[in-house]
Every structure is written in structure tokens, then in C-alpha cells.
Amino acid sequence: MEYRFRIPTIIGIMVPLEAKSAKARDPRDAAATDGPRRADARRNRERVLEAAEAVFGESGLKAPIEDVARRAGVGVGTVCRNFPTKQALVEAVVGSMYETLLHEAEQALADPDPAHAFERFVVGLPDFQARHRALADQMASENMLASAASPREKLLRAVSELVARAQAAGAIRADIGPGDVSMLFSGVAHATAIVDDLQPVMRERYVRIILDGLRARDATALPGRPLDFAQLRRMRQKHAK
Amino acid sequence: MEYRFRIPTIIGIMVPLEAKSAKARDPRDAAATDGPRRADARRNRERVLEAAEAVFGESGLKAPIEDVARRAGVGVGTVCRNFPTKQALVEAVVGSMYETLLHEAEQALADPDPAHAFERFVVGLPDFQARHRALADQMASENMLASAASPREKLLRAVSELVARAQAAGAIRADIGPGDVSMLFSGVAHATAIVDDLQPVMRERYVRIILDGLRARDATALPGRPLDFAQLRRMRQKHAK
DNA sequence: CCGGAAGTGGAATACCGATTCCGGATCCCC
DNA sequence: GGGGATCCGGAATCGGTATTCCACTTCCGG
């Protein structure tokens, strides 16, 4: 099977260009979505998910399913029964990542100082993405499991809110949108992916530079218009062949 | 064959993690490096190179060799004879890209105003990378064909010079190095890769923001130290398993 | 504690794409 | 224009990984 995905934005908006031999999913499978009936089986499914997150994070999406299976201490058969397709496995992992990120965004939103809230979230973002490397490339395929769609929408809303509040407080320039923020900081995550050991420092280094560029004072006029997530999605759709 | 590459920097410093079944190259092949003896053959080789640049640029490195062959109007056999390995084909294409980029850098260097020279190069950079998408991911594998090594070194030197001059002129902050510049702008290229149609505008949008962040005035202190290409390379080497 | 139903491991299969091979077509030197 | 030496196309081969299959466990309700 071949996978072709567009490069991501932090809070990725992108889509598999083709899902070649994807089986039409039979409604009954939906029932299986949240678990097998037997206790040991449910435990295994959980272990596979954890292993997959670890393995994909370390070796990228092309890591063979067998590696995931070994790490989880189960056979490949078990992996494939729980996730009929590698794609399905990836999506399941990504789904749980959305929840983590959403959690971070919500914590930031709880911060009373909008400027600090924004900064805090944004410093953590490339870090989060880097921790999950290839998986980040995957976040938010449009046709994702329903279970992941809801956290994702919430996340987008939270980020938009963070940006809007920071702007209202005059902390960052008014001529950018949440989509721009997503683009900029996902770029940092990508660029710093080459350097494991110094990553945290380097990432913050670049985040700081960009934050300087986002400040309201002294800003030079920008071409284009502020980008929000809806537009980002639309662009993505036009883009898909 | 499997390819595993690290994410790039604009003027990429990275390396294939493994070249599994790479044949030890027999010295005689070196002779073949710059062309077959028969006229039509040489022409074909050229057409393959062009086709490869186009196809890889559009569909990424995983585009099958067959696509390249079809686009070039030749059989796969011909492609494989000229470039014993897919990796070799990629390297050949990348080599020619270095020369193009070097040319742009030299033109920029000819500009008497250091600030303008820097800006000019840097605005063009993500554009260049985006035009070649996946290929940019490839630039500068350490063990690249000798023919590509020299343009690359020249390019790195030219970029360092552009940065140094801009700094001497007080146009950009002093606490960054050429490696930082490479990182930052390659990030833009990556992030904007999702949006074909609006890319040029979006890219410039983000480049402007980052340029604002790179200005000398009002700069906040950065963690870490200025990064030059030598350090970048060293980090890459430590990183490789 | 029994008898299936539900699950398991991992060998076998299905696919896909890079690389190789070779009978036949093309060039080019004389 | 003839005859090799060079090249060509594309079918066959090979290698690698996702997915399927099934004989064999393990669980669990009664």
C-alpha cells in the first residue's frame, strides 16, 4: 500500500491523497472501534496503541507493522485485527495526540495573561510536534475516524481563541490569523527535526525569533491576508488533485 | 530498497541513514558519470534527468521510477542503466539544483546593499525549495557524488557571507548564524508546501514575519548560540545513529 | 471445571516497486 | 551501406512489507 500525504501544519490540515485498497468499512466494524469484548484483547489493543505511538515517533511512519507488534509483545496478526489497515492504526494514534494537545491549549487558555498564554502554548507546540515527528505529519487527515474529529475541532477553536485574545491585548500583530500561527511554528518543528540532542534549545531559539516577528510594534506590512483554519482547509481542498 | 532521510535544512545537511543494497561502485563506472558514448544515449540521459526533476518535484521522492521513465519517454531499463540506483538518480538531480541555488546566491552577493542582498536571497529561498519539494529534503547528503560537493561548499560559503555582511551593516541581529537562517527559512518552505496555489504569497508572508524577527532592533535575547554550517553538520553527525 | 466463542501468533499470500536481463533496434565508424 | 558495438524497451526477478488465514490458545459464563 502506498501512502501519500501532504506536508502538515502544526494543527495539521491535510489529507491522504489516495487510500488505494481501503476496504469499504462495514458498519459492524464501528462497534469494534472502542474495543474487543474480552479483557485480554482490550489490554492488547491498548498496548498496540502505545507501542505504535512510540515506534512511529522514533522511526517514522514507515516503520513496519512488525516493529510495532514486537514492541507491543504481540503478533502482527493481533495488530492487524485491531486496526484493519496501517492507516487506521496511524489515525488511532493521531486521535489520542489531539487530546493531549487540546489539553495543553486549554491549560494555556486558563492563563489570565493573554500574551503569556499565547507564548506558552506556542513554545510548547513545536516541542510537541517534534516529540511525535512523523505522526505530526499526519494529524487531521480530513477523513479521520469520527472519534478524532471532535477533539480536533475543539483544538482549532482553542488555538483561534488564544490568538484572538493575544491580539486583543495588543501582544501580537493584528494582521495574522490562527492558520498563520500554525504554519509558522510547524515550520520550526520540521526544521529542527535534524538535531535530536539540541532540539529543545534550537526550537526555542527559533520560536523566540518568530515571536519577535509577531509582535505588534515595528511590524512591516504583510502580503496576503490573515489565515484562519477554515481557509487553510479550503486551500488544502483546492490543492488536492 | 528503503530510504530514510532526515528532514532537511534549506541548504540541507543530512544523510541517508542506510543505503542497504548499495553496490560498491566499481571505478569504471566513474567514467560513465558524465555520459554514454553514443549521441542518442546522452540525449536520453539528459531527458531522464529533466523528467526526474519534474516528477520528484511534483510527486515527491517516492514517485516510482516508472513514472520518471514514462515522462522521459524511455523505458525503465534506460533509467536504471544511467543511474544504477534510485538514490543515484536523486543525487544527480540534486547536484544540478545546487548549481542553480549557488547562482542565486552569487547574484545576491553582487548587490551592493547588504541588507537588500540578504533579503533578496532569503525571499527566494523557500520559493526555490518549494519548487523542488521533496528534492530539497535531499540536498546535501554527506556522501553525495563528488560532482555535487563543490557547488555545495561554495553555496554554504556564499550564504555565510550574505549573513555576515547583513550583520556588519546592522541589518539583522548579531546573535544568529547562517545555520539559523537555513533552519528558519526551510521551515517556511515545509509549512507552506500544502498550499500550491497561494504558495508564493504565503511564503513571502512568513518570510516577512521572520525577517521582522531577525532585525537588530528590539530583539529579545535568544537561548543557544549562533549556528553555522559546520556546527549544523556536526549536529547532524551526532544525530545519525 | 467444561465447552465453545473470542483471540492469538506467525507463516503464507498479495502487492508494489527497484533492479536486472536479454532479444531486438539504433547508431556510427569504415 | 554493412556490421558490430551500444542502447533500448519492458518483461521477469527479487526484496520487502501490509494483510490474510488458520491451527492452536485463552478466556469466561454456566
Side-chain angles (χ1 to χ4, degrees):
Chain A
M1 182 189 271
E2 188 201 355
Y3 301 90
R4 295 179 59 183
F5 294 91
R6 288 302 170 193
I7 306 259
T9 64
I10 292 185
I11 302 154
I13 303 272
M14 98 246 96
V15 68
L17 293 187
E18 44 191 324
K20 267 185 182 169
S21 68
K23 291 273 163 58
R25 194 162 308 162
D26 167 325
R28 279 171 306 176
D29 290 20
T33 298
D34 56 85
R37 308 121 196 48
R38 240 167 67 179
D40 59 336
R42 198 157 2 220
R43 216 177 311 131
N44 275 339
R45 183 194 161 87
E46 212 45 49
R47 282 207 278 172
V48 168
L49 263 178
E50 281 166 29
E53 177 160 349
V55 170
F56 289 150
E58 284 169 17
S59 319
L61 282 183
K62 52 158 81 94
I65 285 201
E66 196 186 332
D67 286 4
V68 175
R70 194 172 328 116
R71 177 98 159 218
V74 304
V76 286
T78 300
V79 175
C80 289
R81 204 165 341 95
N82 278 290
F83 306 94
T85 274
K86 188 176 184 180
Q87 177 71 34
L89 175 57
V90 169
E91 285 181 8
V93 175
V94 167
S96 78
M97 285 173 50
Y98 269 120
E99 278 161 25
T100 306
L101 200 48
L102 174 58
H103 184 66
E104 285 186 20
E106 281 170 347
Q107 282 194 315
L109 274 175
D111 191 318
D113 173 3
H116 186 252
F118 177 74
E119 185 174 314
R120 164 185 177 166
F121 179 67
V122 126
V123 167
L125 244 182
D127 216 75
F128 176 84
Q129 278 198 287
R131 211 162 36 242
H132 298 283
R133 294 211 189 195
L135 280 173
D137 287 12
Q138 217 40 260
M139 292 181 75
S141 121
E142 284 294 312
N143 36 13
M144 175 171 287
L145 294 178
S147 65
S150 150
R152 188 180 124 228
E153 290 312 316
K154 281 191 213 159
L155 176 59
L156 299 190
R157 238 172 293 132
V159 173
S160 303
E161 180 68 19
L162 279 169
V163 172
R165 283 194 202 170
Q167 285 174 323
I172 65 177
R173 58 202 297 171
D175 56 355
I176 63 157
D180 294 314
V181 171
S182 168
M183 291 280 219
L184 282 165
F185 294 102
S186 86
V188 172
H190 274 283
T192 55
I194 28 166
V195 287
D196 266 354
D197 30 359
L198 294 184
Q199 253 189 67
V201 185
M202 299 312 277
R203 276 194 301 260
E204 181 167 352
R205 195 171 163 75
Y206 303 133
V207 167
R208 293 288 164 203
I209 291 174
I210 293 177
L211 278 172
D212 270 357
L214 287 179
R215 284 190 307 195
R217 325 203 108 270
D218 269 346
T220 59
L222 293 181
R225 322 212 110 274
L227 186 67
D228 63 32
F229 289 124
Q231 289 169 304
L232 200 51
R233 185 174 320 175
R234 232 173 296 129
M235 285 163 71
R236 198 271 305 144
Q237 283 167 345
K238 260 192 290 184
H239 174 80
K241 318 258 165 45
Chain B
M1 182 189 269
E2 189 201 353
Y3 301 90
R4 297 179 60 183
F5 294 92
R6 287 303 170 195
I7 306 262
T9 65
I10 292 186
I11 302 154
I13 304 272
M14 98 242 99
V15 69
L17 292 188
E18 45 192 324
K20 268 186 182 169
S21 67
K23 291 274 161 55
R25 194 164 307 165
D26 166 325
R28 279 170 305 176
D29 290 20
T33 297
D34 55 84
R37 311 128 196 39
R38 241 166 67 178
D40 57 337
R42 197 156 2 220
R43 215 176 313 131
N44 275 337
R45 183 195 161 87
E46 212 45 49
R47 281 207 277 171
V48 168
L49 264 178
E50 282 166 28
E53 178 161 348
V55 170
F56 289 150
E58 285 169 16
S59 318
L61 283 183
K62 53 159 83 93
I65 286 202
E66 196 186 332
D67 286 4
V68 175
R70 195 171 328 118
R71 176 100 159 215
V74 305
V76 287
T78 299
V79 175
C80 289
R81 204 164 340 95
N82 278 290
F83 306 94
T85 273
K86 188 176 184 181
Q87 177 72 33
L89 174 57
V90 170
E91 285 181 7
V93 175
V94 168
S96 78
M97 286 173 49
Y98 269 120
E99 278 161 25
T100 307
L101 199 49
L102 174 59
H103 184 66
E104 285 185 21
E106 281 170 347
Q107 281 194 314
L109 274 175
D111 191 318
D113 173 2
H116 186 251
F118 177 75
E119 184 173 316
R120 165 184 176 166
F121 179 68
V122 125
V123 167
L125 243 183
D127 215 76
F128 176 84
Q129 277 198 288
R131 211 161 38 241
H132 299 283
R133 295 210 188 195
L135 280 174
D137 286 12
Q138 216 40 260
M139 292 181 75
S141 123
E142 284 296 312
N143 36 11
M144 176 171 287
L145 294 178
S147 65
S150 151
R152 187 180 125 228
E153 290 312 316
K154 280 192 214 160
L155 176 59
L156 299 190
R157 239 173 291 130
V159 173
S160 302
E161 180 69 19
L162 279 170
V163 172
R165 283 194 202 169
Q167 285 174 324
I172 65 176
R173 58 201 297 171
D175 55 355
I176 63 156
D180 294 314
V181 171
S182 168
M183 291 280 220
L184 282 165
F185 293 101
S186 85
V188 172
H190 273 283
T192 56
I194 27 165
V195 286
D196 266 352
D197 31 0
L198 294 184
Q199 253 190 69
V201 186
M202 299 312 277
R203 276 194 302 260
E204 181 166 351
R205 195 170 163 75
Y206 303 133
V207 167
R208 292 288 164 202
I209 290 173
I210 292 177
L211 278 172
D212 270 356
L214 287 179
R215 284 190 309 196
R217 323 205 110 268
D218 268 346
T220 59
L222 294 181
R225 322 211 110 275
L227 186 67
D228 63 32
F229 289 123
Q231 289 168 303
L232 202 49
R233 185 173 320 175
R234 231 173 298 129
M235 285 163 70
R236 198 271 304 143
Q237 283 168 343
K238 260 192 291 181
H239 174 79
K241 318 258 165 45

